[in-house]
Amino acid sequence: MRWSAVSIGIAILICGNLSSSLSDVAVKLLNGSVSAFQYMFIRQLLSVLLITPLWLRLPSAQRDIGHWKINAIRAHLVLAGSGMLLIAITYLPLATANALFYAAPLLMLPLSMIILGERPNKQKVLATAIGFIGIVIVLRPEQFHWAALAALGTASTLALYNVLVRKLPPQQPIISTLFWTGILSLPVSSLLAYQYWQPLQTEQWLLITASAIFTLGYQGSCVAAYRQSETYKIGLAEYSGLIFVTIFGYLWFNETPDWLTGLGILLIIVPMAPWPKRRYRNNTFIHDSD
C-alpha cells in the first residue's frame, strides 16, 4: 500500500505528539520545583548538546543556518512556549492543559491563511470550528484557572512555530533546523536563567533531560510532517496528543476527566480523523485518502 503525503504527515505528527506527551509527563513530575527560566535554559542547552554530534556529521552546505530570521523567531517562540507550558502543566491536570495547548491547530488555520496564503476547504474550517467548541467545553468558566492563560499562550507560540516551518528552505535538513533553533535560543535564555539559578538534584536533571529529548522528538516530527503537506491538511492530527495525555494522566497522576471534559476532548479529536472522500465514477466506488 502506498501512503499519500498527507497520510505520512499525519502519521509523523501522531508519533511526535506521543513524544510531546511524554515530555509533559516529565514536566509534571518536576511539580514546579524548578523556575521556568532555569528550565527553559537547561532544556535548550541539553537539546543543543544532544543534536550537535548529528549536526557535525552533515555536509558543510547543509549545516548552514538558512533563513536566520525565521530560525531566530522560532527559537524565541520555543522559549516563550516552554516557560508557559511549565506553568500550565504544573497547575492544571494533564488532559486539561493539553486540551488548551491543542488550540494551536485552530490558530494555525488563520495563521496559514495570513502568512502562507493557504486556502483551506470548508470541511477543514468546519472541523476546526467543532474543535474550538470542544476547547470551550474543556475550559468551562466555573473551572477556569489562571494557568489556563499560560496554556493558551503556549498554544499561540506553537501555532506560529509550526506555520513558520514552511518559510524555511525546503532543502535544510531537520537536524540543522533543530540545531539552529537551539543555538539561537541560548543567549536570551541564559541571561534569564542566571537571575533565577538554584542548585538542582539528580532527579530534576534527569526529568529536564527527558523533557529535552522528547521535545526534540516532537520538534523534529513537526518539521518533517509540515514539509510533507500543507498545514491545514494535517494540522488537526496535533490533537492526537490528547489521547496520550489523558491515558498518562489517569495511569500516573490519578487524573480522571469528568464527562464534560471527555465530551470536549472527543469534539476536539474526532474531526481530525482523515475521513475518506467518497465519489463514484461510471457507477464504481472510488476511495480517496486525501
Side-chain angles (χ1 to χ4, degrees):
M1 181 182 68
R2 183 180 179 183
W3 285 32
S4 67
V6 172
S7 298
I8 293 173
I10 289 174
I12 294 173
L13 270 186
I14 290 174
C15 291
N17 275 273
L18 172 59
S19 185
S20 175
S21 299
L22 291 172
S23 174
D24 290 349
V25 169
V27 172
K28 187 76 171 177
L29 290 171
L30 284 171
N31 197 29
S33 60
V34 180
S35 75
F37 295 128
Q38 190 173 1
Y39 165 77
M40 287 157 46
F41 169 69
I42 295 174
R43 200 192 72 174
Q44 291 304 100
L45 178 61
L46 290 173
S47 297
V48 171
L49 293 176
L50 289 168
I51 208 166
T52 295
L54 300 175
W55 179 75
L56 290 173
R57 296 178 62 182
L58 294 173
S60 58
Q62 294 185 347
R63 294 201 299 263
D64 187 73
I65 193 172
H67 200 315
W68 74 268
K69 289 183 179 180
I70 296 297
N71 276 312
I73 292 172
R74 294 179 78 246
H76 292 90
L77 287 171
V78 167
L79 284 184
S82 298
M84 290 185 286
L85 179 144
L86 178 65
I87 295 171
I89 290 180
T90 299
Y91 295 102
L92 296 174
L94 275 178
T96 302
N98 275 266
L100 300 177
F101 295 158
Y102 291 114
L106 306 179
L107 299 173
M108 286 167 63
L109 190 76
L111 284 174
S112 66
M113 295 172 65
I114 296 170
I115 297 175
L116 305 177
E118 295 180 355
R119 291 294 178 264
N121 57 37
K122 293 180 180 178
Q123 288 78 11
K124 297 297 179 183
V125 174
L126 177 61
T128 299
I130 294 173
F132 180 77
I133 293 172
I135 287 176
V136 172
I137 292 175
V138 172
L139 188 64
R140 298 189 293 283
E142 66 272 17
Q143 295 190 11
F144 185 80
H145 191 284
W146 63 268
L149 295 177
L152 292 174
T154 299
S156 301
T157 61
L158 179 60
L160 187 54
Y161 177 89
N162 286 336
V163 168
L164 289 177
V165 165
R166 294 182 67 83
K167 287 286 189 179
L168 295 173
Q171 71 277 8
Q172 187 177 51
I174 296 172
I175 295 297
S176 186
T177 300
L178 294 177
F179 173 81
W180 287 112
T181 299
I183 286 291
L184 292 171
S185 69
L186 290 180
V188 171
S189 63
S190 62
L191 290 174
L192 293 173
Y194 177 77
Q195 303 295 323
Y196 296 90
W197 193 264
Q198 61 183 10
L200 299 179
Q201 299 176 356
T202 302
E203 181 182 357
Q204 293 171 319
W205 278 107
L206 291 175
L207 289 173
I208 297 175
T209 301
S211 175
I213 293 172
F214 288 128
T215 300
L216 272 179
Y218 170 71
Q219 292 173 347
S221 297
C222 285
V223 174
Y226 289 115
R227 282 179 173 172
Q228 289 287 330
S229 179
E230 289 90 342
T231 303
Y232 71 88
K233 287 186 178 180
I234 65 174
L236 289 174
E238 295 275 7
Y239 292 135
S240 60
L242 279 173
I243 300 173
F244 300 127
V245 295
T246 301
I247 295 172
F248 296 156
Y250 175 78
L251 292 177
W252 292 333
F253 303 102
N254 198 30
E255 297 175 353
T256 304
D258 57 27
W259 73 270
L260 272 177
T261 300
L263 174 62
I265 290 174
L266 282 177
L267 288 175
I268 292 170
I269 64 177
V270 168
M272 82 170 186
W275 304 108
K277 298 176 183 178
R278 297 184 176 184
R279 56 190 176 90
Y280 292 85
R281 184 166 56 203
N282 298 329
N283 296 322
T284 302
F285 172 71
I286 300 173
H287 178 97
D288 285 345
S289 59
D290 295 351

